[in-house]
Amino acid sequence: LTIIGGGVVGVDMATIFSGLGARVSILEMMDGILPMIDHEIVEVLKESFSKKNIEVITLAEITKISREEGRLVVFFQKNGETHK
């Protein structure tokens, strides 16, 4: 499951779906998630994400969302490279 945005709602959704057994990726265009929360708290949260099968990808610019084989695929650029 891909969640676009690392704000409070995106992080909540990632935690919920991860708890249900999904592998989750959070795509955030800024250099970090939860911009209004203390950096040290966010770092502890990100460590717990790795144990919960949640991947956080920052500095990701969404370039396209398309349907492939009946699924939605999110394309994004990071460091000049395109990923999906």
Side-chain angles (χ1 to χ4, degrees), residues 13-44:
M13 292 293 106
T15 303
I16 290 167
F17 283 105
S18 170
L20 294 172
R23 187 175 145 273
V24 180
S25 296
I26 299 174
L27 298 178
E28 172 56 51
M29 67 182 259
M30 298 182 67
D31 63 352
I33 60 170
L34 300 169
M36 302 301 286
I37 306 296
D38 182 43
H39 179 72
E40 292 176 1
I41 294 172
V42 172
E43 288 304 311
V44 171

Side-chain angles (χ1 to χ4, degrees), residues 64-68 71-75:
K64 180 172 84 170
I65 299 174
S66 67
R67 185 172 300 278
E68 292 183 5
R71 298 175 24 175
L72 290 178
V73 178
V74 178
F75 292 83

Side-chain angles (χ1 to χ4, degrees), residues 48-67:
S48 75
F49 280 175
S50 65
K51 297 173 187 171
K52 295 180 179 182
N53 224 5
I54 300 173
E55 177 184 24
V56 177
I57 302 169
T58 56
L59 300 173
E61 180 184 342
I62 307 299
T63 56
K64 180 172 84 170
I65 299 174
S66 67
R67 185 172 300 278

Side-chain angles (χ1 to χ4, degrees), residues 59-61 63 76-83:
L59 300 173
E61 180 184 342
T63 56
F76 66 95
Q77 282 197 335
K78 181 174 172 111
N79 299 328
E81 296 180 18
T82 300
H83 304 271

